[in-house]
Amino acid sequence: AVVSTQSTGSLKTEEKAGEILSIGSSLIFLKQHSAFLHVPGRCISAVLKIVSEDLPQEEKDMLDALQGEVVTDLRGDGEMGEERKTALRGLITDIVFGKKESEQ
């Protein structure tokens, strides 16, 4: 529980898109498998492929799109804006903790 609390806090404060995605993939894996996973950045896409298999299609599509934006940001081919980082954080939060009742 301490690890997930620390990771959740890091998700809220992290500024780098790649780190947000890394933390998010670990949290989603933790929720689905009840085990914490820490992998190098180059393995994040493989983890996301595994965890996204159990997601609704809409969340899966959004996660794929945002992951593509993160990769573009990391390659230096573009910068992921704050609005999109907020969308990524929100999607991860929805997947891990469920959508807020007001949004359902």
Side-chain angles (χ1 to χ4, degrees), residues 9-34:
S10 296
L11 179 66
K12 293 177 185 176
T13 59
E14 182 56 56
E15 294 296 319
K16 295 178 183 173
E19 291 297 319
I20 295 168
L21 192 63
S22 177
I23 294 165
S25 66
S26 294
L27 286 170
I28 297 167
F29 189 90
L30 177 63
K31 177 188 179 198
Q32 291 180 346
H33 301 281
S34 299

Side-chain angles (χ1 to χ4, degrees), residues 54-72:
D54 296 330
L55 298 178
Q57 191 63 45
E58 183 179 332
E59 287 180 344
K60 188 177 188 175
D61 292 345
M62 183 67 148
L63 188 58
D64 285 346
L66 289 167
Q67 179 187 1
E69 291 181 37
V70 171
V71 170
T72 299

